[in-house]
C-alpha cells in the first residue's frame, strides 16, 4: 500500500524495502553512489513517495536515523526547512557518505536559509562530504535564491578560490559546480566568476587548473553568453 501523510517512518521504510531492486543497486554503484545501505529505488520513485507522504519533520528525523540511502533521501525531501536546526544540519552533514545525499541535504539547508552559518563552517571542515556540502549549498543558492542580492553570492568567490586546490573528487567537482553556477546566475555575476575561473585556469595546482579551465569553457560558451545577454 502506498504510504500516506499518516504513515510512520517504519511503515515507509517497509514500503521502500518491498520495492527495492538489487539490479538497480548495482547500476547505482557505476555513478559513484554509495550502495552499502541502498535498496535500489530511483529518485523519481522517491520524489513520488515524498509527495504522497508530505512534510513531517519528526518523521524525517526518524527516516534519517535508519541509515538507509532511500530513507535518508526521503528525510531530506520531507523535512520541514522551517524546523531544521543548525545542530540537526550539522549532524546530517557529518553522517553523509554519498554525493547524492549531500546534494539533497544542500537543497534543504538552502531552503532553511542556514547558508550564512554553514557554508564557511563546512568549507573549513576537512571531511570530504562535509566540505562538498558547503559548495553544493553555494551552487544551489546561486540557482534558487533568485531574490538574494548578487553580492551575497559573489562573497563566496574567495572561498571557492581558497578551496580550489582540494583535489578530492567530490570536493573538486562541487567547487567547480559552485563557480559555474554563480557565473551563470546573471550578467552581473558572470564577470567576477569568469575572472576567478581564468585565474584558476592559470594555476600551477592541478585541481585548481582543472576547475578553472572547465568553468572558463562553460562561462564562455556562446549559449551561456547569449542567455545572459553578453
Amino acid at each position: 500500500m502506498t504510504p500516506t501523510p499518516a504513515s510512520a517512518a517504519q511503515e515507509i521504510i517497509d514500503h521502500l524495502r518491498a520495492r527495492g531492486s538489487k539490479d538497480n543497486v548495482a547500476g547505482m554503484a557505476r555513478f559513484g553512489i554509495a550502495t552499502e545501505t541502498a535498496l535500489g529505488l530511483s529518485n523519481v520513485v522517491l520524489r513520488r513517495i515524498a509527495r504522497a507522504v508530505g512534510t513531517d519533520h519528526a518523521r524525517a528525523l526518524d527516516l534519517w536515523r535508519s541509515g538507509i540511502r532511500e530513507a535518508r533521501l526521503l528525510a531530506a525531501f520531507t523535512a520541514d526547512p522551517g524546523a531544521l536546526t543548525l545542530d540537526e544540519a550539522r549532524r546530517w552533514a557529518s553522517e553523509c557518505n554519498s554525493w547524492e545525499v549531500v546534494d539533497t541535504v544542500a537543497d534543504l539547508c538552502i531552503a532553511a536559509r542556514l547558508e550564512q552559518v554553514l557554508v564557511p563552517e563546512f568549507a573549513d571542515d576537512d571531511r570530504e562530504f562535509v566540505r562538498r556540502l558547503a559548495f553544493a549549498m553555494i551552487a544551489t543558492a546561486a540557482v534558487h535564491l533568485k531574490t538574494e542580492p548578487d553580492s551575497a553570492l559573489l562573497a563566496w568567490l574567495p572561498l571557492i578560490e581558497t578551496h580550489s586546490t582540494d583535489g578530492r573528487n567530490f570536493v573538486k567537482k562541487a567547487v567547480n559546480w559552485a563557480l559555474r553556477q554563480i557565473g551563470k546566475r546573471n550578467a552581473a555575476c558572470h564577470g567576477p566568476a569568469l575572472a576567478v575561473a581564468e585565474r584558476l585556469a592559470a594555476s600551477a595546482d592541478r585541481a585548481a587548473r582543472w576547475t578553472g579551465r572547465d568553468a572558463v569553457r562553460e562561462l564562455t560558451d556562446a549559449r551561456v553568453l547569449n542567455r545572459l545577454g553578453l
Side-chain angles (χ1 to χ4, degrees):
M1 184 168 61
T2 302
T4 70
S7 298
Q10 190 57 54
E11 293 176 286
I12 294 172
I13 290 169
D14 290 343
H15 178 77
L16 296 175
R17 290 189 187 280
R19 298 197 62 181
S21 165
K22 290 183 179 179
D23 289 342
N24 287 349
V25 171
M28 289 172 179
R30 292 195 291 272
F31 292 94
I33 294 172
T35 58
E36 292 85 355
T37 65
L39 302 176
L41 278 74
S42 70
N43 279 13
V44 172
V45 171
L46 293 176
R47 288 283 189 184
R48 190 178 304 131
I49 294 171
R51 289 193 294 271
V53 300
T55 299
D56 185 319
H57 197 70
R59 185 183 60 204
L61 296 177
D62 288 340
L63 287 168
W64 183 272
R65 279 190 285 267
S66 74
I68 298 168
R69 169 199 174 262
E70 285 78 2
R72 285 192 162 178
L73 290 172
L74 267 182
F77 291 155
T78 62
D80 181 356
L84 184 72
T85 68
L86 284 168
D87 284 344
E88 288 166 352
R90 289 175 178 128
R91 184 170 66 252
W92 285 20
S94 70
E95 294 173 354
C96 284
N97 67 341
S98 181
W99 64 265
E100 61 160 353
V101 177
V102 167
D103 295 356
T104 307
V105 171
D107 291 343
L108 174 63
C109 289
I110 292 300
R113 297 310 309 269
L114 301 179
E115 72 278 359
Q116 291 300 323
V117 173
L118 294 182
V119 165
E121 180 181 320
F122 288 169
D124 195 47
D125 194 304
D126 194 51
R127 289 173 291 180
E128 183 173 10
F129 288 116
V130 178
R131 183 169 289 169
R132 179 184 174 91
L133 181 51
F135 294 98
M137 288 171 66
I138 293 173
T140 300
V143 174
H144 295 292
L145 299 185
K146 298 185 184 302
T147 62
E148 190 76 357
D150 292 337
S151 58
L153 280 301
L154 296 175
W156 298 128
L157 289 176
L159 199 64
I160 289 171
E161 199 158 3
T162 294
H163 291 288
S164 65
T165 56
D166 190 327
R168 292 175 294 180
N169 186 50
F170 294 117
V171 176
K172 179 177 72 172
K173 288 185 175 181
V175 170
N176 171 268
W177 180 26
L179 179 56
R180 289 185 292 106
Q181 293 303 99
I182 291 176
K184 292 188 296 181
R185 178 177 169 89
N186 56 38
C189 289
H190 180 270
L194 180 58
V196 170
E198 289 173 339
R199 282 199 299 274
L200 296 182
S203 172
D205 182 87
R206 183 177 180 181
R209 192 165 60 249
W210 176 86
T211 289
R213 287 176 176 175
D214 186 73
V216 167
R217 183 165 46 250
E218 181 159 3
L219 295 179
T220 57
D221 183 273
R223 291 166 295 184
V224 171
L225 296 175
N226 287 338
R227 182 176 64 81
L228 297 178
L230 296 172

